[in-house]
Amino acid sequence: MAVRAAVAGASGYAGGEVLRLLLAHPEVEIGALTGNSNAGQKLGGLQPHLLPLADRVLQETTAEVLAGHEVVFLALPHGQSAAVAEQLGPDVLVVDMGADFRLEDAADWERFYGSPHAGTWPYGLPELPGGRAALEGSKRIAVPGCYPTAVSLALFPAYAAGIAENEAVIVAASGTSGAGKAPKPHLLGSEVMGSMSPYGVGGGHRHTPEIVQNLSAAAGERVSVSFTPTLAPMSRGILATCSAKARPGVTAESVRAAYEKALADEPFVYLLPEGRWPATASVHGSNAVHIQVAYDESAGRIIAISAIDNLTKGTAGGAVQSMNIALGFHENTGLSTIGVAP
Amino acid sequence: MAVRAAVAGASGYAGGEVLRLLLAHPEVEIGALTGNSNAGQKLGGLQPHLLPLADRVLQETTAEVLAGHEVVFLALPHGQSAAVAEQLGPDVLVVDMGADFRLEDAADWERFYGSPHAGTWPYGLPELPGGRAALEGSKRIAVPGCYPTAVSLALFPAYAAGIAENEAVIVAASGTSGAGKAPKPHLLGSEVMGSMSPYGVGGGHRHTPEIVQNLSAAAGERVSVSFTPTLAPMSRGILATCSAKARPGVTAESVRAAYEKALADEPFVYLLPEGRWPATASVHGSNAVHIQVAYDESAGRIIAISAIDNLTKGTAGGAVQSMNIALGFHENTGLSTIGVAP
Amino acid sequence: MAVRAAVAGASGYAGGEVLRLLLAHPEVEIGALTGNSNAGQKLGGLQPHLLPLADRVLQETTAEVLAGHEVVFLALPHGQSAAVAEQLGPDVLVVDMGADFRLEDAADWERFYGSPHAGTWPYGLPELPGGRAALEGSKRIAVPGCYPTAVSLALFPAYAAGIAENEAVIVAASGTSGAGKAPKPHLLGSEVMGSMSPYGVGGGHRHTPEIVQNLSAAAGERVSVSFTPTLAPMSRGILATCSAKARPGVTAESVRAAYEKALADEPFVYLLPEGRWPATASVHGSNAVHIQVAYDESAGRIIAISAIDNLTKGTAGGAVQSMNIALGFHENTGLSTIGVAP
Amino acid sequence: MAVRAAVAGASGYAGGEVLRLLLAHPEVEIGALTGNSNAGQKLGGLQPHLLPLADRVLQETTAEVLAGHEVVFLALPHGQSAAVAEQLGPDVLVVDMGADFRLEDAADWERFYGSPHAGTWPYGLPELPGGRAALEGSKRIAVPGCYPTAVSLALFPAYAAGIAENEAVIVAASGTSGAGKAPKPHLLGSEVMGSMSPYGVGGGHRHTPEIVQNLSAAAGERVSVSFTPTLAPMSRGILATCSAKARPGVTAESVRAAYEKALADEPFVYLLPEGRWPATASVHGSNAVHIQVAYDESAGRIIAISAIDNLTKGTAGGAVQSMNIALGFHENTGLSTIGVAP
């Protein structure tokens, strides 16, 4: 019998994407849909691509509306999840696609988000060492940020294998859906088409401490991270170009071997054959992660590049994958590694 | 037990899309993949988004390779299907995604394609009057062109209801994948991004006689068609803006009623609620057709606009839908009405 | 000695474009820049592409600020120009890039804009019959809408030559900058990239009566117009696909001759050689208009297609061209027919 | 009296861009245009945006055709410039937009280009220390590569000031026009729209040794460079995200001061005010370089980001700027710092 899932924040991009995936999930029945600013409206006018749900009406995000579901997905603005979550019982699986419960360090949270730390939940990136064990049977899941997903998967094999110095330089390009659906001038089509631009430069992006947390855990020591996100003229996709100084004795072969070992059995992560490089179009709409790695002997650096769909593996797909583990479903139920390309 | 399907022309866009859909089809097992210019290569380097097929090797398109399959999809350049099809037995379902068997009028074929007419097969647009009956049990299917799919679905309700004069004006915008994967200067990203341009103006596009054929069949008399295709800066999608002079006595209500009647029970066609208009993004990667219609009283014209994904409903989705009918599967098996948006 | 020009509404797209052109105009000195919602801000943060003006500070749009200029360009929301214009003396050249003074019929204005009609000014489309004479020495100019510019230039030759029936069907695709800089959800990059969609269908777009006015003037009788605008995934450019039923006796040669005659001496309009079709990329950033025409004998229609840059010839370039005529400068001073491509 | 300039390779993107700029250059008259594969064709069909040259006919690239010009711009495939240049007299200014004469180290050339080294010409990046002096009066100019232009301008101030360790990590995104106009499958619009992908990873890109050469010259010691180029879904523009470990004692203030000092008097380079970051749209079609720099104290790195138009400042604009210096014109004659945006 299917579990019933509610989605709070169903009118935004993360909410829409989790609904797109749940519609194809054989073990889930879609229950209440909420969205405070659009309560009372039909979903068809807000998410016209979700045709089977066109006549569903959005409700207010209240404890009453969310009651009676085995799973509740939260796609709310940062800082709003805790208040909703505490009204949901301990037996309800709460999957938070916001940032509220990702960071372990309260000081990091306060520095980057400017509010009191709500706590730390099991982290929804099963591919990290120990990742699955933390999620099995859990009733609370903090879905990672989109950049931390792309970057952590690209670099953790190097740190887990001890082949990289504790200093990573990351430049990532993201599609505009990562910035959400709230209209802002710099996100207008007229502004983003034909343009690349950086933001949050110099360590200011809120995903920086989350990346540091993940890489440091893999390395067993604090990894210093220079992270520069850029906005690319596309709707979806993250291409993360990550590099780290290689430790002495590293060779192209040892780099390749480390990645093959770390990623061999992952259902969603694909280490590309040598000579090919990832492209975000190849993972469009899918939960797949395409990764390639090289050793630049001249510069002495390991270069690892990953491509994900920021809304799928980077948000809603990661959420569903983690839900599958938490509820004991097969991990890839309802999820695909097939991109929609070209 | 699943049927085995081969795909001839698996390295192109139509071939890739039919494979994407067949990978999700519960009744089909993917058999031989062929592609003459890429024979011997792995699919992973040619269609990197089709991860589950990455290690499959393309073969030559020969009768031997295609033997032993219940279904063969042909995604070949125009004019090459007949030679392949005649080598396949009468019990094999041959689904031709090329143009070879679409036209009923041999003179039309010769005028637009410049070669002898190969014949006419049952036409894979089930939504047209009599469309499903023609496909049930058939072993040969001619999949419609992408523009004729979008245009015919937008306008046949008006002609079937007798509310439109026999003179249609159509301007359609297509994503670039409709022009195929063979590299040509005018299809370079540098040329198409940021640009709209027409082609085949003045009745010269090869889809014109196919549109005339479909609309005339619905009207019961020859419909004159002015068709102008344009190339839009996007990979996928067709937006067809179609209009026809309204017959005397037509009202906004009678137009709406005609469309509601014609499209009411269609599993893939969605007549949008009044006040909303289709967008190609909403059908991206899906087999859905979004349609809206209006009566412009001042100009005396019925305006019907449809959005499809040219590769899905416009090519490979239409092919799978027709195969489902021919083989007696549920018509929407393996097909979705959910778009990948934003 | 240069004339001094002020720009009211300097932070928007039309204001930015007129400044871009005026910076290259040898007879104009840029004076006051205003923008109510951004008053007090430097232009560098609002129009970062206008580097030479980066340190200019926006002021409030008041009569005092606009005083002392020979020319004032108004780039204000529709309905706000009249109040500003009446505070400017009769010797000041006021160039209104809004809609307020374009329509001759007060009833049309009220139906489409819902406010009292402010009046009618000389119309800034010099290429229309009598267009230049109306502008010479004028102190008030109503700059045409972007769609009416593209459509009127494509179709007036047919109506002026009497070769077209009085019934035109127009489908035009516009880049998103035509919708302005005010952030709205449907104009987000995430929504527009990869998507085509119509709007204002069925005669509802405010540019419809302006198109009717221009074509009817050329024809000497009322022309019925079906106009469907669509939003294309590009920042700039309009491709207008226009057609009209041909009058009896029309031939491909007579159509071509009519266009050659009407457009022969125009400095900015280029009738493409036969066999080539316009593309918006070719006119990007320029004041050029590329036009091609065909006679579709089978459908009995004349197809005329034009490409313009909606912000240049469609707005600010048309404004500067008209200013040049009004002030007695050479018509193409400061304007270019060279596009920025690819 | 104007100098006469010929352009060899006038049908490609670099050739088209230099013609676009020369059309606006008051001291240059455009002479012979050549293009071997398109000889005999009119330019209008190949570069439709260059309207004033539409009727010019391309000739073969021969010594006879190129004779009688004071300046010859070479926009030829790499490796072809030397043979043409040696046929031109020592009094002719030859501006090579290819790679042939950029590198000082013959071994670097042979490793990356696989052919004998043709020599080294004065390098057309006037902003580098000593850059202008090398160009004054020169009759041979090697125009820098597009990436080296963007990267060198972003990082040379740090190296010239001695505030950066000799180890730079660079990730740059380029529009597709940088890959040229020869049609290749991975450059199709269908492939590049909606996708980001890297190439030449791990030190393999041919611009790497040129970047090393420039940064090492500024630093006075060899700088190790990790350079990863990525292809972005836009026609034009490079965004170069560059970083280097800061030397001990560096502060945000000392970083800013170094950049202000190095870039203060540059006519085309604009160090953005603090708090703003470059976007490629802002320099579209212009010769401007927008740069911002930050000191990431946590990571201990200086982050410098530049935006250029790869075809203008990155190729043809740099060529014209260098020509101006070589011929004694004002350096910014015919060049603009105003972008075409949005």
Side-chain angles (χ1 to χ4, degrees):
Chain A
M1 210 188 71
V3 300
R4 267 175 70 82
V7 175
S11 64
Y13 289 147
E17 183 73 353
V18 84
L19 287 170
R20 185 176 76 83
L21 299 174
L22 294 180
L23 278 166
H25 197 293
E27 311 286 351
V28 174
E29 179 192 348
I30 296 173
L33 309 182
T34 79
N36 286 350
S37 57
N38 302 291
Q41 295 182 37
K42 285 191 177 178
L43 199 66
L46 300 163
Q47 308 274 22
H49 61 300
L50 302 176
L51 204 47
L53 301 174
D55 291 329
R56 286 292 203 87
V57 176
L58 290 193
Q59 299 178 269
E60 295 277 348
T61 307
T62 65
E64 291 69 36
V65 167
L66 297 177
H69 298 82
E70 283 93 348
V71 187
V72 175
F73 288 92
L74 302 180
L76 304 171
H78 298 315
Q80 300 189 5
S81 296
V84 175
E86 68 188 18
Q87 297 183 283
L88 302 170
D91 295 337
V92 177
L93 172 56
V94 184
V95 184
D96 183 23
M97 297 190 284
D100 299 31
F101 298 97
R102 292 172 189 161
L103 296 183
E104 295 167 4
D105 186 309
D108 273 349
W109 173 269
E110 284 160 24
R111 191 174 331 118
F112 280 87
Y113 291 87
S115 62
H117 189 220
T120 311
W121 286 357
Y123 190 70
L125 198 51
E127 294 85 355
L128 291 186
R132 286 186 178 82
L135 294 168
E136 284 164 11
S138 173
K139 291 298 182 189
R140 294 291 184 272
I141 296 171
V143 179
C146 50
Y147 286 121
T149 295
V151 169
S152 302
L153 294 175
L155 279 181
F156 92 84
Y159 285 108
I163 58 175
E165 302 286 357
N166 61 0
E167 191 181 344
V169 178
I170 297 147
V171 180
S174 173
T176 54
S177 61
K181 207 174 179 174
K184 295 169 190 164
H186 75 286
L187 297 176
L188 283 172
S190 301
E191 301 292 319
V192 298
M193 289 187 283
S195 197
M196 292 282 307
S197 57
Y199 61 105
V201 185
H205 194 281
R206 289 170 164 182
H207 286 174
T208 306
E210 193 179 339
I211 293 170
V212 170
Q213 177 176 295
N214 291 348
L215 299 185
S216 300
E221 63 177 337
R222 182 169 183 89
V223 175
S224 168
V225 166
S226 165
F227 171 53
T228 306
T230 65
L231 195 66
M234 57 191 190
S235 291
R236 287 176 177 240
I238 287 179
L239 185 81
T241 302
C242 314
S243 71
K245 194 156 186 57
R247 289 223 158 126
V250 163
T251 63
E253 292 69 30
S254 64
V255 170
R256 183 86 197 170
Y259 276 73
E260 285 176 346
K261 183 180 165 210
L263 305 175
D265 299 321
E266 284 302 331
F268 293 108
V269 185
Y270 181 59
L271 181 64
L272 288 158
E274 295 186 64
R276 285 178 40 209
W277 289 89
T280 63
S282 300
V283 298
H284 189 99
S286 94
N287 207 48
V289 184
H290 288 200
I291 290 182
Q292 184 56 288
V293 67
Y295 174 50
D296 180 345
E297 195 175 349
S298 164
R301 295 187 77 87
I302 298 163
I303 322 284
I305 305 186
S306 63
I308 65 167
D309 185 316
N310 59 303
L311 288 181
T312 320
K313 178 59 178 168
T315 305
V320 170
Q321 182 184 354
S322 297
M323 174 199 78
N324 285 342
I325 295 171
L327 295 180
F329 300 147
H330 196 291
E331 184 173 332
N332 57 17
T333 310
L335 295 170
S336 169
T337 60
I338 305 167
V340 180
Chain B
M1 209 187 73
V3 301
R4 268 174 70 81
V7 175
S11 63
Y13 289 147
E17 184 73 352
V18 84
L19 287 171
R20 185 176 76 83
L21 298 174
L22 294 179
L23 279 166
H25 197 293
E27 310 286 350
V28 175
E29 177 191 349
I30 295 174
L33 310 181
T34 78
N36 287 349
S37 57
N38 303 291
Q41 294 182 37
K42 285 191 178 179
L43 199 67
L46 300 162
Q47 307 276 21
H49 61 299
L50 302 177
L51 205 47
L53 300 173
D55 292 328
R56 286 292 203 88
V57 175
L58 290 192
Q59 299 177 269
E60 295 277 347
T61 307
T62 65
E64 292 68 36
V65 166
L66 298 177
H69 297 83
E70 283 93 348
V71 187
V72 176
F73 288 92
L74 303 180
L76 304 171
H78 298 315
Q80 300 189 4
S81 296
V84 175
E86 66 188 19
Q87 298 182 283
L88 301 170
D91 293 339
V92 177
L93 172 57
V94 184
V95 184
D96 184 22
M97 297 190 284
D100 300 31
F101 299 96
R102 292 172 190 161
L103 295 183
E104 296 167 3
D105 186 309
D108 272 349
W109 173 271
E110 285 160 24
R111 192 175 331 118
F112 281 87
Y113 291 87
S115 62
H117 189 221
T120 310
W121 286 357
Y123 191 69
L125 198 51
E127 293 85 355
L128 291 186
R132 285 185 179 83
L135 294 168
E136 284 162 12
S138 173
K139 291 298 181 189
R140 294 292 186 272
I141 297 171
V143 179
C146 50
Y147 286 121
T149 296
V151 170
S152 303
L153 294 176
L155 279 181
F156 93 84
Y159 285 107
I163 58 176
E165 301 287 358
N166 61 0
E167 192 181 344
V169 178
I170 297 147
V171 180
S174 174
T176 54
S177 60
K181 208 173 178 174
K184 296 170 190 163
H186 76 286
L187 297 175
L188 284 172
S190 301
E191 301 293 318
V192 298
M193 288 187 284
S195 196
M196 292 282 308
S197 58
Y199 61 105
V201 185
H205 194 280
R206 289 170 164 182
H207 286 176
T208 307
E210 192 180 340
I211 294 169
V212 170
Q213 177 176 297
N214 292 348
L215 300 186
S216 299
E221 64 177 335
R222 182 169 183 89
V223 175
S224 168
V225 167
S226 165
F227 170 53
T228 305
T230 64
L231 194 67
M234 57 190 190
S235 291
R236 288 176 176 240
I238 287 178
L239 185 82
T241 302
C242 314
S243 71
K245 195 155 186 57
R247 290 221 159 128
V250 163
T251 62
E253 291 70 30
S254 64
V255 170
R256 183 87 197 168
Y259 275 73
E260 285 176 345
K261 184 180 166 209
L263 305 175
D265 299 322
E266 285 302 330
F268 293 108
V269 185
Y270 181 58
L271 182 63
L272 287 157
E274 295 187 64
R276 286 178 39 208
W277 289 89
T280 63
S282 300
V283 298
H284 189 100
S286 94
N287 207 49
V289 184
H290 287 201
I291 291 181
Q292 183 56 289
V293 66
Y295 175 50
D296 181 344
E297 195 175 349
S298 166
R301 294 187 78 87
I302 298 163
I303 323 283
I305 305 186
S306 63
I308 66 167
D309 185 316
N310 59 302
L311 289 181
T312 321
K313 177 60 178 168
T315 306
V320 170
Q321 182 184 355
S322 297
M323 174 199 77
N324 285 342
I325 295 171
L327 295 181
F329 300 146
H330 195 292
E331 185 173 332
N332 58 17
T333 310
L335 295 170
S336 168
T337 60
I338 305 166
V340 181
Chain C
M1 210 187 73
V3 299
R4 268 176 70 83
V7 175
S11 63
Y13 289 148
E17 184 73 353
V18 84
L19 286 171
R20 184 176 76 83
L21 299 175
L22 294 180
L23 279 166
H25 198 294
E27 311 286 350
V28 174
E29 178 192 350
I30 296 173
L33 309 181
T34 79
N36 287 348
S37 58
N38 302 291
Q41 295 182 36
K42 284 191 177 177
L43 198 67
L46 300 162
Q47 308 275 22
H49 60 300
L50 302 176
L51 204 48
L53 300 174
D55 291 327
R56 285 291 202 89
V57 176
L58 290 192
Q59 299 178 268
E60 296 278 347
T61 307
T62 65
E64 291 68 36
V65 166
L66 298 177
H69 298 83
E70 282 93 349
V71 187
V72 175
F73 289 91
L74 302 180
L76 303 171
H78 298 315
Q80 299 189 4
S81 295
V84 175
E86 66 189 18
Q87 297 182 284
L88 301 169
D91 293 338
V92 177
L93 172 56
V94 184
V95 184
D96 183 23
M97 298 190 285
D100 299 31
F101 299 97
R102 293 173 189 160
L103 295 182
E104 294 166 3
D105 187 311
D108 273 349
W109 174 271
E110 283 159 25
R111 192 175 329 117
F112 281 86
Y113 292 87
S115 61
H117 189 220
T120 311
W121 286 356
Y123 190 69
L125 198 51
E127 294 86 355
L128 292 185
R132 286 186 178 83
L135 294 168
E136 285 163 11
S138 174
K139 291 299 181 185
R140 294 293 185 271
I141 297 171
V143 179
C146 49
Y147 287 121
T149 295
V151 169
S152 303
L153 294 176
L155 279 180
F156 93 84
Y159 285 108
I163 59 176
E165 301 286 357
N166 61 1
E167 191 182 343
V169 177
I170 298 148
V171 179
S174 175
T176 54
S177 61
K181 207 172 179 175
K184 296 170 190 164
H186 75 286
L187 296 176
L188 283 173
S190 302
E191 301 292 318
V192 297
M193 287 186 285
S195 197
M196 292 282 308
S197 58
Y199 61 105
V201 184
H205 194 280
R206 289 171 163 181
H207 286 174
T208 306
E210 193 180 339
I211 293 170
V212 170
Q213 175 176 298
N214 291 348
L215 300 185
S216 300
E221 62 177 336
R222 183 170 182 89
V223 175
S224 169
V225 167
S226 165
F227 171 54
T228 306
T230 65
L231 194 66
M234 57 190 189
S235 291
R236 288 177 176 237
I238 287 179
L239 186 80
T241 301
C242 314
S243 70
K245 195 156 185 57
R247 290 219 158 130
V250 163
T251 63
E253 291 68 30
S254 65
V255 170
R256 182 87 196 169
Y259 275 73
E260 285 177 346
K261 183 180 165 210
L263 305 175
D265 299 322
E266 285 301 331
F268 293 108
V269 185
Y270 181 58
L271 181 64
L272 287 157
E274 295 186 61
R276 286 178 40 209
W277 289 89
T280 62
S282 300
V283 298
H284 189 98
S286 94
N287 206 50
V289 183
H290 287 201
I291 290 182
Q292 184 55 291
V293 68
Y295 174 50
D296 180 345
E297 195 175 349
S298 165
R301 294 187 78 87
I302 299 163
I303 323 284
I305 305 186
S306 62
I308 65 166
D309 184 315
N310 60 302
L311 288 181
T312 320
K313 178 58 178 168
T315 306
V320 170
Q321 181 184 356
S322 298
M323 173 200 77
N324 285 342
I325 295 171
L327 295 180
F329 300 147
H330 195 291
E331 185 173 333
N332 57 18
T333 309
L335 295 170
S336 169
T337 60
I338 306 166
V340 181
Chain D
M1 209 188 73
V3 300
R4 268 176 71 83
V7 175
S11 63
Y13 289 148
E17 184 74 353
V18 83
L19 286 171
R20 185 177 75 84
L21 299 175
L22 294 180
L23 278 166
H25 197 293
E27 309 288 349
V28 175
E29 178 191 349
I30 295 173
L33 310 181
T34 80
N36 287 349
S37 57
N38 303 291
Q41 294 182 36
K42 284 191 178 179
L43 198 68
L46 300 163
Q47 307 276 22
H49 61 300
L50 302 177
L51 204 48
L53 300 173
D55 291 327
R56 284 292 202 88
V57 176
L58 290 192
Q59 300 177 268
E60 295 278 348
T61 307
T62 65
E64 291 68 36
V65 167
L66 298 177
H69 297 83
E70 283 92 350
V71 187
V72 175
F73 288 91
L74 302 181
L76 303 171
H78 298 315
Q80 300 188 5
S81 295
V84 175
E86 67 189 18
Q87 298 183 284
L88 301 170
D91 293 339
V92 177
L93 173 56
V94 184
V95 184
D96 184 21
M97 297 190 284
D100 300 31
F101 298 96
R102 292 172 190 161
L103 295 183
E104 296 167 3
D105 187 310
D108 273 349
W109 174 270
E110 284 160 23
R111 191 174 332 118
F112 280 87
Y113 291 88
S115 63
H117 189 220
T120 310
W121 286 357
Y123 191 69
L125 198 50
E127 294 86 354
L128 292 185
R132 285 185 179 84
L135 294 167
E136 284 164 10
S138 173
K139 290 299 181 187
R140 293 292 184 271
I141 297 171
V143 179
C146 50
Y147 286 120
T149 296
V151 170
S152 303
L153 294 176
L155 279 181
F156 92 84
Y159 285 108
I163 58 176
E165 302 286 357
N166 60 1
E167 192 181 343
V169 178
I170 298 147
V171 179
S174 174
T176 54
S177 60
K181 207 171 179 176
K184 296 170 191 163
H186 76 286
L187 297 176
L188 283 173
S190 301
E191 301 292 319
V192 298
M193 287 187 284
S195 197
M196 292 281 310
S197 58
Y199 60 105
V201 184
H205 194 281
R206 290 171 163 181
H207 286 175
T208 307
E210 192 179 340
I211 294 170
V212 170
Q213 176 175 297
N214 292 347
L215 299 186
S216 299
E221 63 177 336
R222 182 168 183 91
V223 175
S224 169
V225 167
S226 165
F227 170 55
T228 305
T230 65
L231 195 65
M234 57 190 189
S235 291
R236 288 176 177 237
I238 287 179
L239 186 80
T241 302
C242 314
S243 70
K245 195 156 185 56
R247 291 223 157 126
V250 162
T251 63
E253 291 69 30
S254 64
V255 169
R256 183 86 196 169
Y259 276 73
E260 285 177 344
K261 184 179 164 211
L263 306 175
D265 299 322
E266 285 302 331
F268 293 108
V269 185
Y270 181 58
L271 181 64
L272 287 157
E274 296 186 62
R276 286 178 39 208
W277 289 90
T280 63
S282 301
V283 298
H284 188 100
S286 94
N287 206 50
V289 183
H290 288 201
I291 291 181
Q292 183 57 290
V293 67
Y295 174 51
D296 181 344
E297 195 175 349
S298 165
R301 294 187 78 87
I302 298 163
I303 322 285
I305 304 187
S306 63
I308 65 167
D309 184 316
N310 59 302
L311 288 181
T312 320
K313 177 59 178 167
T315 306
V320 171
Q321 182 184 355
S322 298
M323 174 198 76
N324 285 342
I325 295 171
L327 295 180
F329 300 147
H330 196 291
E331 185 173 335
N332 58 16
T333 308
L335 295 169
S336 168
T337 59
I338 305 166
V340 180

